[in-house]
Amino acid sequence: MNDEHITGDAGVPEVLTEAEVADRYQVAPSTVKHWRYKGLGPRWFHAGRHVRYSLAALREWEKHESERPVP
């Protein structure tokens, strides 16, 4: 089974690619790569040679970012 096609309750993929994460946040894929390189973005994992993001990790990161004080 390919994890990319596993969907949650609303038909949203449970595992997203870097491009899908970029689309979700309306940023360039290079921004998502930069976040990963600097350790600033959501948790990620390798699926073979590919970088993937779980929907749960994205939601956790969104919650953390929304609670962070604005400088």
Side-chain angles (χ1 to χ4, degrees):
M1 177 189 293
N2 185 340
D3 285 341
E4 290 177 277
H5 299 290
I6 297 174
T7 58
D9 296 338
V12 176
E14 290 288 331
V15 177
L16 287 87
T17 66
E18 189 173 79
E20 290 169 328
V21 172
D23 282 346
R24 181 182 180 95
Y25 298 120
Q26 298 179 349
V27 299
S30 61
T31 299
V32 178
K33 286 180 186 179
H34 179 77
W35 290 344
R36 189 172 68 248
Y37 175 74
K38 293 288 190 177
L40 301 173
R43 286 182 298 121
W44 57 277
F45 63 95
H46 277 114
R49 297 181 340 184
H50 305 282
V51 172
R52 296 293 184 257
Y53 296 82
S54 72
L55 186 56
L58 296 178
R59 289 180 176 152
E60 179 182 304
W61 183 71
E62 290 165 359
K63 183 177 186 312
H64 177 266
E65 289 297 300
S66 71
E67 295 171 348
R68 189 174 64 140
V70 178

